[in-house]
Amino acid sequence: MPEKFVFTSNPIEQLEKEYDVVIIGSGSTGLTCAIQAYELGLKPVILEKMDKIGGNTNRASSGMNAAETEVQLANGVVDSFADFYKETYQGGGKLNNQEMLEYFATHTALAVEWLSSHEIELTDLTVTGGMSKKRAHRPASTAPVGAYLIKGLLRIIQKASIPLFTQVKVEHLKKQPSGTQVAISIGEGVQKTIVGRSIVIATGGFGAGSEWIKKYRPELLNYKTTNHSGATGDGLLMAQEIGAELIQMEMIQIHPTVQQDTPHAYLIGETVRGEGAILVSNEGKRFVDELNTRKVVSRAITSLPEKSAYLIFDEKVRNRVKAIEFYNHIGLVESAATVAELAEVLKIDKQNLTSTLAEWNKAVTTKSDTEFGRKTGMNNKLDAGPFYAIHVAPAVHYTMGGIHVDERTRVLDGNGYVIPGIFAAGEVAGGLHGNNRIGGNSIAETVVFGRQAAQQAFVYLKK
Ligand code: ADP
């Protein structure tokens, strides 16, 4: 049996006084950036405030979107950068930063290739809401992409001996002519300062930051969040202190399918719908194109009197989505041998649910959903028992806004000027997604712009 991979972060005594690139945050953005910086011959360090590595990336489930990849061709999917751009732009309400989006759409295939050259293989495909093609690349095992990615990146970090310190919280940045002073706290009351010749802010979003939510979207304060507790928007404050502008801060994504009947909110990945599940109301009827964008599906659920819905699927969907084993294991999934019995378990109208499934299966056969116009995730009928249901409702999931950057990840001030030597990438950066992030685009963003941040830090340092 292969040995279990164990990663150990560095003891704090090994922290040096100065680095070429100080990377704040150990999500996929930070780890990718560190590897790219190291491969360019720079000396990076990763600082992570939590004891756990991987941030919200650990929770990403569906996949990594990319267009024009070899994986797509091997699966008979002919795609184009232009379509990927156009659909992301439409999905984002045409509020996306177009230079960032252009760079993104044309670099995701390279990012998948780069991962593959580092033995991180995403060779299976699925589809997410708002995308006309299968673009979400995921592991062959169909396992959730985030944890797989973090583990793969950490293997490289370990091999290259790139220093990574956990429980080191960056508090402030201070620009000096010789570099940027990084004020950190290490455990209770211990403060220290190190110098970064360049800085990459990769601290993630503020989906668990109630102060920010209160400021920009107070009506969302009573929503649950799918975010890890460290997603408090620290990077926004430290960037603001050195003159950065924040943009689109009110654009907070609500994810439509979150199981929240227990104190913990569990995101039910978009793949479940991508692989064929439908949504029904308490009446047992469909009410939306389940693979429309997240904002549309969330709105449809909150417009129901019960403000929640059931994801309904069969054994075949379960076999195509590994994460369902986990959802089932922790008790989030209801099941029954037949559709009628499932209706009984859910206490919804038996006849309605039975005819909803029959109608849906007809739509799958004829490839025409006359009721709601769904076009994707319709390759298989829902006809193989047992049948399953997960009770879901929308929750705060992702923050599209953040630090104003350009397509080179350079941080900009309120007048559009570059703040030299400071870069930001991943969820902390604003602009790529417009007012609605497409499922699968966040992981793609972390790899594309994590690499870009390291490349631009290199260019800056060589000047
Ligand atoms: P992304 O998807 O952009 O990589 P993640 O949420 O996956 O974002 O990762 C961001 C990481 O940054 C998290 O692990 C989070 O704990 C860490 N982080 C946030 N604020 C700080 C801070 N002040 N100091 C160090 N690490 C931080």
Side-chain angles (χ1 to χ4, degrees):
M1 228 169 71
E3 255 179 59
K4 195 172 166 354
F5 173 68
V6 181
F7 183 87
T8 316
S9 55
N10 294 62
I12 195 66
E13 301 72 48
Q14 290 177 3
L15 185 70
E16 296 180 23
K17 286 201 174 74
E18 187 169 336
Y19 293 90
D20 289 336
V21 201
V22 172
I23 300 163
I24 312 167
S26 72
S28 160
T29 310
L31 300 185
T32 302
C33 177
I35 295 164
Q36 180 70 89
Y38 168 84
E39 290 177 350
L40 282 164
L42 300 176
K43 184 178 154 193
V45 65
I46 307 161
L47 306 178
E48 167 57 53
K49 70 172 174 179
M50 310 295 279
D51 58 356
K52 185 171 170 163
I53 296 167
N56 272 339
T57 305
N58 271 326
R59 300 179 173 210
S61 53
S62 295
M64 167 170 166
N65 283 344
E68 296 196 26
T69 65
E70 292 299 328
V71 173
Q72 285 180 307
L73 290 178
N75 285 277
V77 179
V78 176
D79 200 359
S80 79
F81 294 156
D83 285 350
F84 185 25
Y85 179 104
K86 197 173 73 198
E87 290 165 26
T88 299
Y89 192 50
Q90 270 162 2
K94 301 191 177 171
L95 293 167
N96 319 57
N97 173 327
Q98 294 186 55
E99 285 81 29
M100 276 177 93
L101 180 52
E102 174 77 33
Y103 185 85
F104 174 73
T106 53
H107 284 75
T108 48
L110 287 170
V112 169
E113 230 174 76
W114 184 82
L115 289 175
S116 170
S117 72
H118 290 80
E119 290 168 27
I120 300 173
E121 302 288 356
L122 302 175
T123 53
D124 194 67
L125 290 174
T126 188
V127 70
T128 58
M131 298 275 97
S132 67
K133 299 245 164 70
K134 285 191 173 187
R135 297 194 173 110
H137 294 61
R138 58 180 184 168
S141 65
T142 79
V145 71
Y148 173 79
L149 186 58
I150 293 294
K151 194 167 161 191
L153 293 170
L154 283 178
R155 277 184 203 276
I156 306 163
I157 301 267
Q158 189 180 64
K159 224 182 194 167
S161 303
I162 298 169
L164 190 167
F165 298 89
T166 52
Q167 292 174 292
V168 172
K169 183 178 180 202
V170 176
E171 304 277 4
H172 305 283
L173 299 175
K174 195 166 168 206
K175 291 277 297 166
Q176 309 258 281
S178 56
T180 300
Q181 291 204 328
V182 182
I184 55 182
S185 60
I186 312 157
E188 293 294 298
V190 184
Q191 314 287 330
K192 220 176 156 159
T193 303
I194 63 167
V195 172
R197 295 179 62 217
S198 67
I199 305 288
V200 176
I201 304 173
T203 48
F206 59 95
S210 48
E211 287 305 312
W212 293 103
I213 294 177
K214 191 161 135 201
K215 181 163 177 193
Y216 291 101
R217 292 286 299 279
E219 80 280 11
L220 297 180
L221 270 178
N222 56 2
Y223 274 63
K224 290 197 176 172
T225 181
T226 63
N227 285 219
H228 84 117
S229 61
T232 47
D234 303 8
L236 305 169
L237 266 189
M238 57 183 96
Q240 250 183 341
E241 279 178 358
I242 53 167
E245 184 183 30
L246 304 183
I247 58 161
Q248 299 185 332
M249 289 292 288
E250 70 290 356
M251 295 181 188
I252 297 177
Q253 180 167 73
I254 306 302
H255 194 289
T257 57
V258 180
Q259 216 296 347
Q260 42 192 289
D261 297 336
T262 64
H264 187 100
Y266 290 97
L267 184 138
I268 308 300
E270 212 149 307
T271 3
V272 179
R273 283 170 285 147
E275 292 300 323
I278 58 170
L279 280 167
V280 303
S281 66
N282 263 1
E283 283 187 57
K285 292 183 181 166
R286 287 180 67 221
F287 53 93
V288 69
D289 162 9
E290 293 85 350
L291 283 165
N292 205 319
T293 53
R294 290 174 175 178
K295 64 184 169 195
V296 172
V297 181
S298 291
R299 213 179 296 136
I301 297 176
T302 39
S303 302
L304 294 170
E306 61 273 26
K307 300 193 186 318
S308 66
Y310 288 102
L311 271 167
I312 305 284
F313 52 94
D314 70 350
E315 182 70 8
K316 286 185 293 180
V317 172
R318 178 177 174 169
N319 291 336
R320 289 193 297 273
V321 184
K322 199 161 179 208
I324 293 174
E325 298 315 311
F326 170 71
Y327 306 147
N328 192 36
H329 179 72
I330 56 173
L332 306 181
V333 185
E334 302 281 3
S335 67
T338 65
V339 176
E341 282 168 32
L342 186 66
E344 244 168 60
V345 172
L346 304 178
K347 298 190 179 58
I348 61 181
D349 189 283
K350 229 188 263 188
Q351 213 126 40
N352 281 356
L353 190 63
T354 310
S355 56
T356 296
L357 268 274
E359 279 298 310
W360 172 248
N361 287 338
K362 219 188 291 164
V364 170
T365 311
T366 57
K367 291 271 171 284
S368 162
D369 172 23
T370 45
E371 259 191 304
F372 299 103
R374 175 162 162 181
K375 292 200 170 59
T376 53
M378 297 179 73
N379 297 333
N380 298 280
K381 289 199 263 187
L382 297 176
D383 60 0
F387 293 86
Y388 302 98
I390 303 179
H391 188 222
V392 292
V396 167
H397 179 52
Y398 189 87
T399 50
M400 274 79 67
I403 302 173
H404 193 185
V405 293
D406 64 9
E407 72 284 5
R408 291 198 243 167
T409 70
R410 299 180 302 183
V411 171
L412 306 176
D413 69 15
N415 296 313
Y417 291 114
V418 168
I419 303 176
I422 312 287
F423 305 88
E427 191 173 351
V428 76
L432 175 66
H433 308 289
N435 69 9
N436 175 71
R437 179 175 67 74
I438 298 289
N441 275 1
S442 68
I443 286 294
E445 176 182 29
T446 64
V447 183
V448 168
F449 288 106
R451 291 184 70 200
Q452 170 73 311
Q455 292 167 19
Q456 295 305 322
F458 175 83
V459 170
Y460 168 78
L461 291 171
K462 294 294 150 192
K463 262 192 194 149

